[in-house]
Amino acid sequence: MIDTERQLEEQYLDKVYKKLLKTGLELEEQLKDAKENGLAAVKELSEDVRLNFDNYADNLETLSAIEAKNREIDQMNIRNQVAASRLEKVKRLLESPYFGKINVEFLEDGDQDQFYIGIHHFADEERNNLVYDWRSPIAELFYNNTLGPSSYSVNGYKNDVDIQNRRQFIIEKDRLLKYFDSSIAIQDDVLLEALEQDATNEMQDITATIQREQNVIIRDTANKHILVNGIAGSGKTSAIMQRIAYLLYTYRQQITADNILILSPNDRFIEYISNVLPSLGERNPLNVTLLQFAERFSPMDVEPEDAYFERVSSKQVDEQTAVLRSKGFVDHIKQSDAHFLPSPSFFKDLTRRGKVVISKEKIMEIYHTTPNFENLIDKLQATKRVLMDEWESRLNRHSKKRSVQDNVMLLSEEQQQKHFGKVLTEDSEKNLHRYAAKLLNKKYRAITLGIEQNAWIDTTALFKELYAGYTDKEYAFSGKTYTLDEAVIFMTIQHNLVEKISVPNMRFVLIDEVQDYTTAQLSLLMDLFPRSGFTMVGDENQAIFNSGMSFDDIDRLFEGRDAEVKRYDLLNSYRSSGAITQLFKRLATNNKEMDIIPVRKEGKEPSFVPYSSFMELQHVIEKAAREFGSLTIITKTDAEAREVGTVIQRSDLDASAVEVYPINLAKGLEFDNVLLYNVSKDNYVTDRSIKILYTAVSRAMKNLVVTYKDQLPELLAETR
């Protein structure tokens, strides 16, 4: 029996693919010609301009002609950039032209139409739309995953429609492998087939398999702030990346990637997601860890990542750090104006080569001459302006002194060239005070910079005084670098009391693993980006560090600033096999009322293997590595990772076949085959350690081996 529907779909695919090939060849030829003929064209354009500077009128005519030719060259460059961008999109579509289709009846006029949905928009030479971008308004109907009455909005106008059919495709280049009609996406073969792909090396593009609950988050532009609590493997990180692509598409006339900030949990995670947006044809925004952010936007020398993770992975939080992380201390800083305004005690001398150039007494004198502002930051900024004015006047007065000008004349020609970019002539000597001023500005550049960079304010003394005022105790710094918690407080002090920190204009700030942020950290980000929309995703079950805050605390923090947060819960687990999902479901401590739903097939049951020595452990690792072909070992701590590394070195395994990650670096990632080290009863006792175990188990996609000594933790022992 002839499958007419399949024939029609194959004919359409053939038509689209041939159009893509034709367009790709045309664009390649256009860019090739541009490269070969570009220099010749520029030369020809330049020859068209006759340079004539004989008089004022000729000057204007020549400059006007040059400007016109520059515009022509700019237009040519823009056309080439557009062509290169289109070619990249065509190349991506050639891998799989589209993945979905909807048949829609427009209720207003009764017309029917069909829309093919792909990773990018594509139209033929007559501007007929052959493929619609997954972010376009009409594509929302595809992701709603329902048939029957529905609607979508364009520029605020609501269109009522009836979705008559929803079809999904599995396509490789010009080959239609499979298609089927569906209404409930979590059972779709497309999704399950995509989940079978190896996603170990980098996050896979699952635009074709965005689920309804994710789609709501991706397309939510009604709520400024969004908080997503998603269980392990629920696609929350994928949703955040797809949301960025959607926002860049929707607001493409208003923002670029430069107006978006991603805050990732660690360097490995940044690498992991680095190809997602480029695969969607979008440029990566600034993507940094909070540590890197602190280093970028403050002069602090902050602890390295490994030291940070070792500190937040420790069992206890010292008293000082607990204060720095608290909302109470942050509020204390912001309410301290009245304490400091009458007589600040944190000014310091500006010196050069050990000699005081501007004394703290002089700075205090200037401070008291400025208006009586209500806020310390305004008073200090007024002081800074007067201080700079007086310093510049002082340099100008000194430049007119005969002794200073004599020093200019005593400079050798080589020194004159170095300082002034020229050798002084008799005409130059008539303006000696100008060169004297240049010399003084260079000589005392450190003082000028000191004023600009607020070096006359002893922020360490200010920090200590604020801490003592809050706790009645003296703060003790330790180490050559500052902890992230200390850096965050320094930045909070700077931004609220001294001078606003200059950060890029970010329309959206997206935070992954938000459960690991402290109140002070999130509060600082809200201070720095008061007009930005925050999208925050995390999993309270994965709050494995001694830092962090509950999602209710996050809600309250925004409420305290009269800002509402829209909360979403993601409960479907797409990452791990059904058997592995059922295992970490038992370990969920924060979501006991939530029903975690496994989507993938049941798969192989996790195995629990005891060992009593490192020799036995070595045999277990070797067996698993050979059986699976590749193996990722996850440990509870960095020290355990080093122990396992020693075991692997003694084995005859290929080092490239086995990777070892402490949980602080594995969090957020996923691996096909995982072995958990030392999951023993005495190693997993506290609520926090069970969260670590939940996180570690949920990293595994296909196969999981749990090793232990003596006894398993009770929650795992019950599963055997």
Side-chain angles (χ1 to χ4, degrees), residues 324-443:
L324 301 188
R325 293 174 175 177
S326 68
K327 182 179 185 297
F329 186 52
V330 171
D331 291 342
H332 172 71
I333 293 170
K334 295 180 179 182
Q335 297 163 6
S336 63
D337 296 82
H339 172 75
F340 290 110
L341 273 168
S343 183
S345 55
F346 46 78
F347 292 151
K348 63 180 182 179
D349 301 328
L350 285 173
T351 63
R352 179 180 180 273
R353 296 180 179 177
K355 181 180 178 181
V356 175
V357 178
I358 303 177
S359 69
K360 58 186 176 184
E361 289 78 15
K362 176 62 178 176
I363 296 170
M364 181 67 81
E365 179 184 320
I366 293 173
Y367 174 85
H368 285 301
T369 64
T370 59
N372 293 322
F373 293 100
E374 292 183 3
N375 298 317
L376 180 64
I377 190 171
D378 296 325
K379 184 81 169 172
L380 291 177
Q381 287 306 297
T383 303
K384 180 176 180 176
R385 288 191 292 271
V386 176
L387 183 59
M388 183 62 80
D389 287 343
E390 291 201 6
W391 171 244
E392 289 175 349
S393 296
R394 181 175 166 184
L395 289 177
N396 188 49
R397 289 195 306 272
H398 277 70
S399 70
K400 296 176 182 178
K401 289 185 176 181
R402 187 64 189 176
S403 59
V404 177
Q405 294 183 8
D406 286 344
N407 286 335
V408 173
M409 294 303 298
L410 291 173
L411 294 173
S412 66
E413 291 186 357
E414 183 180 350
Q415 290 172 322
Q416 291 175 15
Q417 188 70 41
K418 175 184 176 183
H419 291 298
F420 312 128
K422 60 182 287 188
V423 176
L424 301 184
T425 63
E426 289 185 8
D427 290 338
S428 303
E429 293 174 10
K430 296 176 183 178
N431 298 300
L432 271 179
H433 71 282
R434 294 182 183 175
Y435 294 101
K438 281 187 177 182
L439 194 63
L440 286 173
N441 278 318
K442 285 192 174 186
K443 182 178 180 181

Side-chain angles (χ1 to χ4, degrees), residues 102-256:
I102 45 174
N103 292 76
V104 177
E105 179 181 344
F106 292 87
L107 301 181
E108 191 172 284
D109 51 23
D111 289 344
Q112 295 184 22
D113 207 345
Q114 60 184 20
F115 302 89
Y116 286 82
I117 312 300
I119 198 170
H120 294 300
H121 171 267
F122 177 67
D124 62 18
E125 60 274 9
E126 297 175 357
R127 297 190 177 181
N128 296 311
N129 295 318
L130 302 180
V131 181
Y132 287 80
D133 192 296
W134 67 275
R135 298 165 291 185
S136 62
I138 195 71
E140 184 173 1
L141 300 175
F142 175 79
Y143 290 114
N144 282 344
N145 302 335
T146 58
L147 301 181
S150 188
S151 66
Y152 70 99
S153 297
V154 181
N155 298 325
Y157 179 76
K158 182 181 177 183
N159 296 279
D160 293 315
V161 300
D162 188 88
I163 305 174
Q164 298 181 333
N165 192 36
R166 177 180 182 273
R167 179 166 290 174
Q168 292 186 264
F169 305 94
I170 299 175
I171 294 173
E172 287 184 4
K173 299 185 183 298
D174 59 346
R175 295 173 58 228
L176 176 58
L177 303 181
K178 189 184 299 184
Y179 80 93
F180 50 89
D181 300 332
S182 62
S183 61
I184 303 176
I186 62 171
Q187 296 173 350
D188 290 346
D189 291 344
V190 168
L191 174 61
L192 295 176
E193 184 160 317
L195 291 171
E196 290 302 317
Q197 301 297 319
D198 178 6
T200 300
N201 295 326
E202 59 184 30
M203 177 172 285
Q204 298 296 300
D205 168 32
I206 58 167
T207 305
T209 58
I210 295 171
Q211 301 308 293
R212 186 172 189 175
E213 72 272 20
Q214 296 168 344
N215 186 56
V216 173
I217 296 167
I218 292 166
R219 294 174 182 263
D220 186 347
T221 56
N223 296 289
K224 185 175 181 179
H225 307 301
I226 294 174
L227 177 60
V228 181
N229 190 15
I231 57 96
S234 58
K236 53 186 178 293
T237 297
S238 175
I240 203 174
M241 300 305 291
Q242 305 284 3
R243 177 168 171 77
I244 292 170
Y246 178 77
L247 293 171
L248 287 170
Y249 176 89
T250 303
Y251 298 111
R252 57 191 178 279
Q253 303 300 326
Q254 304 167 39
I255 66 171
T256 68

